[in-house]
Every structure is written in structure tokens, then in C-alpha cells.
Amino acid sequence: MSHIIVHIVLILGLPPLLLGVIGKTKALFAGRVGPPLFQAYYDLAKLFRKGSVFSTTTTWVFRAGPIVGLVTALLAGMLVPLGNHSAPVSFSGDLILFAYLFALGRFFTASAALDTGSAFEGMGAAREVTFSCLAEPALFFGFLVLAKLSGSLSLTGMLDGPFPKGWGVAGASLVLVAASLFIVLLVENSRIPFDDPNTHLELTMIHEVMVLDHSGPSLGMILYGASVKLFVMGALLMRIVAPFESGNAWVDWGLFVAGMLALAMVIGVVESVMARFRLVFVPTFLVAACLLSAFGIVLLLR
Amino acid sequence: MSEWLIFLGIGCHAVSGVPGLFRRRDSDAGQKFAVVLGLIGSALGIVGAVGSLWQPPVANSVIKIDAISVIFLLPIFLIPALGGVYGLTYWKQAEHIHNGQKLRLFYGLVTAALAGVTIAANSILFLVAWEIMALSAFFLITTEDEDRMVSEAGWLYLVTTHTATLCLFALFALLRNVTGSFTLVALPDGLGAGLATAIFLLAVIGFGLKAGLMPLHVWLPGAHAMAPSHVSALMSGVLIKIGIYGLVRICSLLPHPPLWWGGLLLVAGTISGVLGVVFAIGQHDLKRLLAYHSVENIGIITMGLGLAMVGRSLHRADCVALGLAGALLHVWNHGLFKSVLFFSAGAVIHATHTCEIDRLGGLAKAMPRTALCFAIGAVAICGLPPLNGFVSELLIYLGLFRSIGIGHETGWAGSAFAPPALALIGALAVACFVKVFGGVFLGVARSEHARHVREADANMTGPMLVLVGCCLLIGLAPLLVAPLFEQGVYAWSPDLATGAVSLVMLAPLRWVSVAGLALIVLIVVAGVLLGLRLRHCGTASSGTWDCGYAAPTARMQYTSSSFAQMLVGCFVWVLRPRVHAPGEQPLFSRATQFRSHVPDIVLDGALRPSFRFGAKITSSFRFLQAGNIHAYLFYIVVFLILLLLWR
Amino acid sequence: MNPLLDLILVAVLLLNFVALGASQLRTVIHAVALQGVLLGATIVVAHSTVTVWVIVMAGAVIALKGVVIPRMLFHAIREVVIRREVDPIIGCIASLLLGGVGTALAVLFSKTLPIAHEHIGSLVVPAALSTVLTGFLILTTRVKAISQVVGYLVLENGIFIFGLLLVEAMPFLVEIGVLLDLFVAIFVMGIIIYQISQEFSTVSTRKLSALKE
């Protein structure tokens, strides 16, 4: 029971810290001091205290977008195992629910963007759904590899206890899947080199331009939901890359948190050393990610 | 007993359009009578069909009503009756005095014939009902036959449906040859592999033409787009499923399917699913787009059926159960949400008189109920939780994962491509329906027509709400319908012992309910919290910010075509869009225009050119047609002499 | 079944995808050069006993495939002033997908081939087939003559991997023959590229269709 509470607390509390770590890493690389580690928390607190401006063209869809986006990400967080601890909710087939929850969130955030009638937001929504189309098969090829290795169809079962054995049996497949999932993680969470939330030009953005018109608590929900999504997908990847276990349940929690912070630093490093790809090349990289994980399952099944 | 209720229901539908023929053309009485008769017929039929589950299955040499028949009968009775109610406003007799009576006559006939096909145990009865259905559908498609586009779509349909019938004649002749009777019974075990394959392939082509499986789908987009919307709903929701019914039936009769049959169905389903949704993304016409989604969903259903066949070849009861139950449940689900979508598309067309997505927009304000129904239908067709599409896709996913040999020794690596393909289909469907929903209902109106609209009346929104309710019910409580589909699995696969499979054990149906409810509750809670927060902090309204641009107009919005442009670009190698771009312009350019459309790859890319080529070849024989009766008689004489000499 | 060999071959296969999907000519050439270096390494790995001869052979392969030929190609790019993009007939995504399908087919097909017992289950045959297919794909779908040379190189790499099946039976014979063949071919191609660019002042093979009757 206590582990379920820790799980929920981590899912609710830790995600914004990842944004802080990424920001700090990037600042270090640029030789700046950078915003404090807890900046994302301050931003959220501020946003939830602000009033909102709603465009006169919008309908209920615009208000539903952030809500659905946040709720789906949180529910997906209930399905994913954190480190060596199994998820609070786990059943055969939950990996499909996991993927489709994010799709539901995407449907509503993209619709909310179209609800404003703005060309910029339409553009962002179009890019978001397009890139997700290509990321989804990559994710499922990865799931196939994990499920085949473990013989289980639940996220917890796929990534559970005996998992480190997988590295001995099919190391090449797992490397491919991890690489592919890392690309998917970067794309789905709009990180450099696929998307840059901090450019000054809205024309080149993906996710940020989609949520231009949201303000106040709605915007807070979007920021928070995005960080939860990053956290959840990151937890999935971390479990594959670093399936460590210490034997002590509480040390495992510590290991997991350390792993997530390390992942955030890796993302920060990637963002610091790479330039953004041209938008037209993003589909090519996503197809390559699909091929990587598809190749992983081919290697496993041959 | 209950079979008589079904017969009575079929009879009611069959004659529902007849009394209206004797009424004056401008009076609505005949239409109301037909709708009431249809509702009564459907009520009787549904009661009879459900009741037949509690009695031993009716099976004689003419009629057979088992669980599979019941599964197909229920949407056949439900959707056309609701469509009739919808037609009270959508196709009011007083507004369509020239074709209203004809429409209702064939509407009733097609419903009755569809139900007839599903209960036929005899190939003669099957074919008769099939032809009545096919011909009535032709007259339904050509309701407005004075329009050249409509009659063209109708002729194309007629040609393809008769090609299908031709295949079915050959199929049933072969079956008669093997079994020695016209009754449809399981084929003997010692059947030759070549003969069995011929029967299987004829079934795939004949029934695939009806269902609209991808390379055989040529008639479908035009026919769905040109028919009145409630007819489109009937065709997409029910009529094309009769092809699936036939395929399911014939597959259950064939003994010991080899692995490649299932593989073929899986590949065909995948192609149909992916290309169907890709072509949908390229469309500008609301109904044509929905029609291509029918191709996609038929693909998903075929994938499920293919999985069940693979399961039979591998002797894996779990794959058979998950595949077939998923396919049959998707038959229901697609019927439900596609009818919602066609009904709401019809409401939009009724209000705005255009089905061009790029001329619509902002309708959610004026038509809130229609918009809500469309949104729910769209979420359902994308297979997203907490609605019914998710349940059937989940079953198929689970079966596909298991068929590779996950958690089991025997497996077939060949189906590993299918789960990611299904994921691709789902993600593309999300993209497509965001495009449609956003383009039609959200943002600002793009044309004068779309600016002045009124909400559809209760006749039109009522049926939509009923169907939306069904979608929610199946999505939130799949356990309610699971037993029926288990019965279907047993009826389909005779070698499975009763009790051998349990969908509840195989699929997390309870968890689906829990997750769906949690999703809804959490969204409501978060919505209330946000509302309270906003009330506390205050809200203001203003124009869309648009990066500081002060005077945005409706024409600056992202159109649905531009929304789809990147995806069309990704699939340009199969879509081959025709772009009519303006040429080079002088320094001060004149008014110019840009058009693009996506032609159908099979129809416009392959069939039309090859027929044109054939016409060119054969036109060189034109000289024989002299117009002189003596010459023709002379040809006959020459031909006769040749025949005599040959023997 | 040699795990290290399989790991190298996986990398070789991935480089195929890089060569198919990259949009810059330089990246493609780098990928093929790296592939050549890896192939040199496979010679050492595939031999059960490493002799001086084996090391020399591997060094020669690495020097030729990894250094000399890529340098020649870069030199050609500079000399003939070729634009840097790849300029494919079908898009990058489509060629990537075709490459993926080709790899899957290669894996399927390799099961049906009658191969010596010790090679069953190893990646040699699928990798060879897939690399050959990739080479053909590049040859048939790229416009620039220099890409054609690259495609030829990849094709040749595939044949080289096939040669790994024979290292025990006929050491060096295959390698030497293949290297010689390759060298002559590059030589001829270099002359052809030079001629094309002299004649048409471009290196696009599309112009060659003007030569037809």
C-alpha cells in the first residue's frame, strides 16, 4: 500500500522537477546560471493563481483540451511501473490502453488548437498529429520486442523483476528498441532536435504553438500534463536502459528517482549539443525509429 | 417461436414503403406510416433475435438462426429503423416529391433482404436475398439519378456488385458440387486443397467486393458520397457488413484452413486499413472521407477474421476467440459510430447545403448537439477509450500479440507486422478526425452558408443520441455483450468445445470498464475544479490572439486541406494527388487559384486506364457495326457456318 | 554462431538504413566508409585462428573500403562540384520503408536457403541479402552518378558478406577477387562520371536517356 502511495506522489510531484533539471543542464552548457531547479513549480503555482482569457471563437472543446490532456497522462502514469516497483494498476493488455490514452489526449489538445481558428495553432496541431502517426508504430514494435522477451502483455509484467535477463538474451534488440523509444520520447515531448519550445519564431514550433491561446490555469494544466507525459515515457525508457535493483524496496525508489534525474540530464545534454532538424526531416527520423524497433523484433523472431 | 417474430419483422420492413406508393406525392402520411412500420418491424425483429438465443438454434434446410446470425441481425434491425426516423426531416416527402416514395420502397426492401441473407441456410435463398439487396441498394444510391455524378456512381456500383454475384454463383456451384445439396453445411474433411482454396478465394473476392476491401473498394466512395445521408449510414453501417457476414460464414464451413489463408486476410486487412485511412486524409468531401473510413474499418474487421483463421490453423483457441470476437464486435461498433457520423454529416449538409469541408467551420456554436454527437463518434471510430471502438480493437490487438507466441509456445512470427500497423491506422484515424472535426465544427465559419445555420431537429438528433448511447454502453460495459460474442465464436468454430474460451479470461474487460469510468470521473472532476478556479480568478474574453495579428479573418484559418498536407506529403507515393497550381505570375499578379484532389488509386489509376485501353482496342472492330440489318443477319449466318464446321 | 560477428552485422545493417535515409551525400559516403571498416573487422572475427595474413587482409580491406574509395568520392564531389543533396527519384521515407521491407524479406528468405550447418541462425546470409538489396535500391532510385557509385559499393559490400560464409573453405581467395573487382569497377565508374560531366556539364544520369534512339 505504501508503495502505491509513493507511486502516486512521485507521478504527481516529480514531473516538473525534470523540466528544471533539463533547464539547468542546458544553462550549464551555455555557461549561464539558469533558472532555479524548481522554476517549473513556481510557474505552475503562478499560472493557477491567474485569470484566463478565452477567445470568442472557442467552444467547450477549447476548455476540454487541457483537462483531457492532463487526465490521460496521469492515468497512463498509473499503468507504468516506476523502477523496480510494479504499477498500481496492471492487467494483461494495459500497454494498449497506455498508448491509446495518449492518443485520446492528443485528439482533444489538437482539437482545442483548431477551436481558436488561428493559423498558427492549426499548424502546430497538424504537425503534432502527423508526427505522432509515425511515432506510434515505433512504440508498438518496441512493445512487441518487450512482450516477446518477457511473455507478458502488461507493462509491469514486461518490465518486471527478471527483466535484466533480457539483456543477455537479446541485447541487440533491446539496444535498438531503447534507441527507438528515445527518439519517440523526444518527439512526443517536443524536445530538441525535433522541436524547440524556446525559439522566437512560432512558425517553426510544434507543441508550443499549438497551445498559444491558452492562459491561466488552462495553460498550467498543459504545462503540467506535458511534464507528466515526459515523466511517464521516461520511466518506461529508464526501466529498459537501467534495470537495476538493490534488493531493498526503498533504495529502489531512490535509484529510480536518481535514474529519472539522470535521464533529464541526458535530454539536457542532447538539447545542448544538437541543433534542431529541419521540419521536413522529422518524418524521416521517425520512420527510421520505426525501422530500428521493427528490426529489433525481426532479430528476435528470426 | 422467436423465428416467427424475426420473419414478421422482415415482412414489416419489406412492405413498409408500399402503402406510401398509393398516397399523394406531397403528403407526409405515407412516410410516417413507413417509419412506424419500420420501427415496429425492428422491435419485433430485435425481440425475436435476442429471444432466439434462449432457445435451441433454428436450423433446417432453408433457415438457420445461430449466434452469428443474431450478431448481424441486431444492427440490421436497429440502424435502418433509426435512419427512417432521421429521414422524416432529412428526406421529407413534401420536399422530395419525385424520389421520396421510391427511396422508402427500396429502403424497406434492402433492410428486409439484408436480414434475409443472414438467416438463409440455403444457397438459393441466400442468392435471391442477396440480389434483392444488391438491386435495391442500386436504386437507393441513384435516388437523385438526374445528377450525372450520381448515376455514374450507381452504374459503377451495379457493375461491381454483379461481378461479386458472379463470383458467388461460382462459389455456390462449387459448394453444391462438394456437398451434393444447396444447404450450406460444413464441408467434408477430405476436401482437396485446390478446391478448398478456390472456394476460399472466390469468397474473398466475391464478398470482399461487397465489403469494400481495399483493391476491391472502387464502388464504395462514390456510392456513399452520392446517396442520401441516412442511406449512406445504412450502406456503411450495415450493407457492406453483409460481405463480412458471407466471408465469416464460408470460412466457418471450410475445414482445416492452411496458415496462408489467415495470412492473406491479415495482409489484405492491413492494406485496406492503412490505405483506407490514408485516402480518407486526402479527401475534401465530408461524405467521401467517411466512405474511405469504411474501407479502413472493413480492413480492421478483416484483420480480426484473419487472426481467427491463423488461430484455427495453429489450433490456438485464444487467437480464434479474440480475433473473431474482435471482428464481430467491430462489425457492431462500426455500424454504430459510422451511422452517428453519417447522420451528423447529413445534419451538416442539410443545414449548409455543402459537404466541402473547406467551406464549413464553426458549426459547433450553432449546432451543439450535432457537434457533440460527431465528436463522440469521432473518438469512437479512432478506437479511443472510453468508447466502444477501443474494446474491439483491444481484442484484436491482444489476439495479434498472442499469435506471435507471447506467453505460449506455438506462434507464427508472420503476424508481427500487424499490431504496429493497427497502431498506425489508429494514429492516422486520430489525425483524420481531428482534421474533420476541427474543419467542420470548430473555428470560424468559412462561408456564408455555414454562418447561418440552425440546429437539426429532434428527428435527426434523436437517432444520433440513441446510437451514441449504444457506443457509450458497449465502451463502458463490454461484459454485457461478451457472452453473445462467445456464442458467436462457438458457432463459427465447430471444433471448439463449449466452455473452451472465455472472453473475460482472455481480455481485461472489467478493467476496460474501470478505466473508462475512471477516465470520465477524473475528467469531470478536473473540469469542475478548473471551473471553480476560473470563477475565483476571473475570466475575460477577447479575439484569438494569433501572435499579435490584430484583424484575423475566417480565410486565414488553417483549412483542413492544409492540416492534412504534411501527411499527404508523407504518403505521396500512394496517394498521387493531382495539383493544379498557378503558373508563373507577372510582377503584379492577377487573381489566381490553386486546386488539389486525390484520385482513387485503383479506380482512376488502374481500372479506368485499362478499360480505356480495352475500348481503344475493341473500337477498331466498329466497322462491323454497319447499321444495316442485312449485314447483321449475314454475320449470324457466317457464325453459324463456322460453328458447324468446328464440330 | 558468433555473437560478436552478429553484433557487427547488425551495425552493418543499420548503416544500410543510414545510407538509404540520409539526405546529404557526405553522410551517405561516410556511412558506406564505416560499413567498409566494419567489414574489415568481420574478417578478423570470422576466422577461427588469427594469423598475420588475416590481419594484413583486414588492413587492406579497411584501407581500401574505409579510406581510399571514400576519399576518391569526396575528391570527385569537390572536382565536379556536385550539389550536396542526394536527389532521389523516390523520397527518403519511401526508400527507407522499402529497405525495411527488403530486410524483413531477406530474413525470411535466408531461412529457405540450403546453408552449411554452422551458419544456420547466424546473421550472415540475411545481412548479405539485405545489403545487396539496399545496393540495388540505391542504384535504381538515385539520379546522380556519384550515388550510383555508392550504390555499387553497398552492393559489393553485400557480396563481401556472402564471402564470409567461405572463409573456412577458401581463405582469401574470395576477398582478393572481390577487392580487385571492386577496384576496377570504381576505376571505370570514375571515368564514366568524368565523361558524363564533360559531355553534359552535369552528373545526373537522367541526361543519359537522351542517348536512346
Side-chain angles (χ1 to χ4, degrees), chain B residues 154 170 176 187-188 200 214 223 249 289 320 363 394 458 465 491 497 547:
Chain B
R176 164 83 172 76
L187 301 181
F200 174 71
M214 187 57 167
R249 258 298 177 233
L289 181 144
V320 174
L363 295 183
L394 178 71
L465 289 171
C547 296

Short mmCIF file of all heavy atoms in Angstrom, two decimals, chain B residues 154 170 176 187-188 200 214 223 249 289 320 363 394 458 465 491 497 547:
data_model
loop_
_atom_site.label_atom_id
_atom_site.label_comp_id
_atom_site.label_asym_id
_atom_site.label_seq_id
_atom_site.Cartn_x
_atom_site.Cartn_y
_atom_site.Cartn_z
N GLY B 154 -23.85 5.10 -59.42
CA GLY B 154 -24.77 3.98 -59.39
C GLY B 154 -24.37 2.89 -60.38
O GLY B 154 -24.36 1.70 -60.03
N ALA B 170 -20.32 -18.90 -58.84
CA ALA B 170 -19.28 -19.92 -58.97
C ALA B 170 -19.03 -20.59 -57.63
O ALA B 170 -18.91 -21.81 -57.52
CB ALA B 170 -17.99 -19.27 -59.48
N ARG B 176 -22.13 -26.71 -53.99
CA ARG B 176 -23.15 -27.70 -54.34
C ARG B 176 -22.49 -28.98 -54.85
O ARG B 176 -22.89 -30.09 -54.52
CB ARG B 176 -24.06 -27.09 -55.42
CG ARG B 176 -24.95 -28.05 -56.18
CD ARG B 176 -26.21 -28.34 -55.38
NE ARG B 176 -27.18 -29.11 -56.14
CZ ARG B 176 -27.09 -30.41 -56.39
NH1 ARG B 176 -26.05 -31.07 -55.95
NH2 ARG B 176 -28.03 -31.04 -57.07
N LEU B 187 -18.06 -28.40 -44.86
CA LEU B 187 -17.55 -29.25 -45.92
C LEU B 187 -16.83 -30.44 -45.33
O LEU B 187 -16.29 -30.38 -44.22
CB LEU B 187 -16.60 -28.43 -46.80
CG LEU B 187 -17.28 -27.21 -47.43
CD1 LEU B 187 -16.31 -26.46 -48.31
CD2 LEU B 187 -18.49 -27.63 -48.24
N PRO B 188 -16.80 -31.56 -46.10
CA PRO B 188 -16.15 -32.77 -45.56
C PRO B 188 -14.65 -32.57 -45.39
O PRO B 188 -14.03 -31.76 -46.07
CB PRO B 188 -16.45 -33.81 -46.64
CG PRO B 188 -16.74 -33.03 -47.87
CD PRO B 188 -17.39 -31.79 -47.41
N PHE B 200 -12.27 -20.65 -51.12
CA PHE B 200 -11.86 -19.56 -50.23
C PHE B 200 -11.60 -18.29 -51.02
O PHE B 200 -12.09 -17.20 -50.68
CB PHE B 200 -10.60 -19.98 -49.46
CG PHE B 200 -10.00 -18.89 -48.63
CD1 PHE B 200 -10.63 -18.45 -47.48
CD2 PHE B 200 -8.83 -18.28 -49.02
CE1 PHE B 200 -10.08 -17.43 -46.73
CE2 PHE B 200 -8.27 -17.27 -48.28
CZ PHE B 200 -8.90 -16.84 -47.12
N MET B 214 -9.69 -3.35 -49.70
CA MET B 214 -9.04 -2.29 -50.46
C MET B 214 -8.94 -2.39 -51.98
O MET B 214 -9.47 -1.54 -52.64
CB MET B 214 -7.67 -1.95 -49.89
CG MET B 214 -7.05 -0.72 -50.58
SD MET B 214 -8.12 0.71 -50.47
CE MET B 214 -7.16 2.09 -50.96
N ALA B 223 -20.41 5.76 -54.19
CA ALA B 223 -21.77 5.40 -53.81
C ALA B 223 -22.14 6.01 -52.46
O ALA B 223 -23.23 6.55 -52.29
CB ALA B 223 -21.90 3.88 -53.75
N ARG B 249 -19.14 -16.69 -42.71
CA ARG B 249 -19.88 -17.95 -42.87
C ARG B 249 -19.07 -18.98 -43.66
O ARG B 249 -18.90 -20.13 -43.22
CB ARG B 249 -21.16 -17.69 -43.65
CG ARG B 249 -22.41 -17.60 -42.87
CD ARG B 249 -22.79 -18.84 -42.12
NE ARG B 249 -23.99 -18.49 -41.37
CZ ARG B 249 -24.15 -18.66 -40.07
NH1 ARG B 249 -23.21 -19.18 -39.33
NH2 ARG B 249 -25.26 -18.32 -39.49
N LEU B 289 -14.90 11.25 -47.45
CA LEU B 289 -13.93 10.94 -46.40
C LEU B 289 -14.45 9.85 -45.48
O LEU B 289 -13.75 8.88 -45.18
CB LEU B 289 -13.65 12.23 -45.62
CG LEU B 289 -12.65 12.18 -44.50
CD1 LEU B 289 -11.88 13.47 -44.47
CD2 LEU B 289 -13.30 11.96 -43.16
N VAL B 320 -8.40 -17.61 -31.94
CA VAL B 320 -9.68 -17.70 -32.63
C VAL B 320 -10.70 -16.82 -31.91
O VAL B 320 -11.38 -16.00 -32.53
CB VAL B 320 -10.18 -19.16 -32.66
CG1 VAL B 320 -11.58 -19.21 -33.25
CG2 VAL B 320 -9.24 -20.03 -33.46
N LEU B 363 -19.32 25.32 -36.78
CA LEU B 363 -20.72 24.90 -36.61
C LEU B 363 -21.03 24.48 -35.18
O LEU B 363 -22.20 24.36 -34.83
CB LEU B 363 -21.02 23.73 -37.55
CG LEU B 363 -20.96 24.03 -39.05
CD1 LEU B 363 -21.36 22.82 -39.86
CD2 LEU B 363 -21.87 25.19 -39.38
N LEU B 394 -9.01 -3.54 -28.92
CA LEU B 394 -8.23 -4.18 -27.86
C LEU B 394 -8.23 -5.70 -28.04
O LEU B 394 -7.18 -6.35 -27.92
CB LEU B 394 -8.82 -3.80 -26.50
CG LEU B 394 -8.16 -4.43 -25.29
CD1 LEU B 394 -6.79 -3.82 -25.08
CD2 LEU B 394 -8.99 -4.24 -24.04
N ALA B 458 -35.38 17.30 -33.58
CA ALA B 458 -35.31 16.08 -32.75
C ALA B 458 -35.33 14.82 -33.61
O ALA B 458 -34.73 13.81 -33.24
CB ALA B 458 -36.47 16.07 -31.77
N LEU B 465 -28.48 10.41 -30.84
CA LEU B 465 -28.26 10.25 -29.40
C LEU B 465 -28.44 8.79 -28.99
O LEU B 465 -27.70 8.28 -28.14
CB LEU B 465 -29.22 11.15 -28.61
CG LEU B 465 -28.86 12.63 -28.73
CD1 LEU B 465 -29.94 13.49 -28.11
CD2 LEU B 465 -27.52 12.91 -28.05
N ALA B 491 -20.23 -20.84 -32.51
CA ALA B 491 -20.97 -21.14 -33.74
C ALA B 491 -20.04 -21.14 -34.95
O ALA B 491 -20.26 -21.86 -35.91
CB ALA B 491 -22.08 -20.10 -33.94
N ALA B 497 -14.83 -26.85 -28.09
CA ALA B 497 -15.83 -27.35 -27.14
C ALA B 497 -16.42 -26.17 -26.38
O ALA B 497 -15.74 -25.19 -26.12
CB ALA B 497 -15.17 -28.31 -26.17
N CYS B 547 -0.75 35.53 -32.40
CA CYS B 547 0.60 36.10 -32.43
C CYS B 547 0.59 37.59 -32.70
O CYS B 547 1.45 38.11 -33.42
CB CYS B 547 1.46 35.40 -33.48
SG CYS B 547 1.70 33.69 -33.09
#
